[in-house]
Amino acid sequence: MTSEGSNTTAIMLRTPVKDDGFRLHQLVAECPPLDPNSIYCNLLQCSHFAETGVAAEKEGDLVGFISGYIPPQQPDTVFVWQVAVHEKGRGQGLAKRMLKEIVGRDACKDVTHMETTITEDNEASWALFRSFARDMGAELTYHEHFEKETHFGGQHDSEFLLRIGPFTKPV
């Protein structure tokens, strides 16, 4: 568990627990344009995938969360599924702190790359992952991965797969 600052308003980072599942569902709902998942999916993110996720709390409120996993076919890669930062946690570099927390975990000891998907118009996510790549001294590449018509039936913008790496663990 890590924190920033020493006062009572510090944001604490920790491994998620299944009791965070419903709170995560509420957080995502308060962070448009994030796609909501079912509460059951959020429970799995907070239990089965807890070691590759991070919860951020401020004064007892869940103000940030990253869900991710290590794809079975890519043991050197952590895939970031979703990044949520509530307005109460914005403007403090929280999302990047959470990314670094994940890659520094024992569960990611063999991880040298990070992947995620982002829509073309999600400027905040593009900025976050570009900044993370710079901080990690790693290359960032991307290509269209899930196409609007083919994969989403025209109901969701295309998603670009970003790949960052190789990198070494943050100090």
Side-chain angles (χ1 to χ4, degrees), residues 85-141:
V85 177
H86 192 275
E87 62 187 28
K88 295 176 186 177
R90 292 186 188 145
Q92 302 173 55
L94 178 58
K96 191 163 47 171
R97 279 182 56 214
M98 291 190 297
L99 289 174
K100 289 179 178 180
E101 173 83 8
I102 290 170
V103 299
R105 295 237 179 105
D106 286 344
C108 292
K109 69 181 180 327
D110 297 327
V111 167
T112 58
H113 291 78
M114 178 179 286
E115 289 185 345
T116 194
T117 62
I118 305 174
T119 57
E120 189 171 30
D121 64 347
N122 190 334
E123 295 176 18
S125 287
W126 284 98
L128 167 64
F129 287 97
R130 284 182 174 127
S131 178
F132 176 79
R134 274 192 307 275
D135 283 6
M136 299 299 284
E139 182 181 4
L140 182 150
T141 59

Side-chain angles (χ1 to χ4, degrees), residues 5 13 36 40 43 49 52 59-60 69 78 85 91 96 121 156 161 166:
L13 303 183
Y40 185 77
L43 288 167
F49 302 104
T52 50
E59 298 177 335
Y69 61 93
V78 63
V85 177
K96 191 163 47 171
D121 64 347
H156 187 286
L161 179 70

Side-chain angles (χ1 to χ4, degrees), residues 23-60:
R23 293 171 61 197
L24 171 57
H25 190 76
Q26 293 174 309
L27 174 64
V28 170
E30 295 174 7
C31 295
L34 292 180
D35 292 328
N37 295 299
S38 70
I39 295 171
Y40 185 77
C41 176
N42 294 141
L43 288 167
L44 294 176
Q45 290 169 308
C46 294
S47 56
H48 288 196
F49 302 104
E51 291 302 316
T52 50
V54 63
E57 279 190 329
K58 181 178 183 179
E59 298 177 335

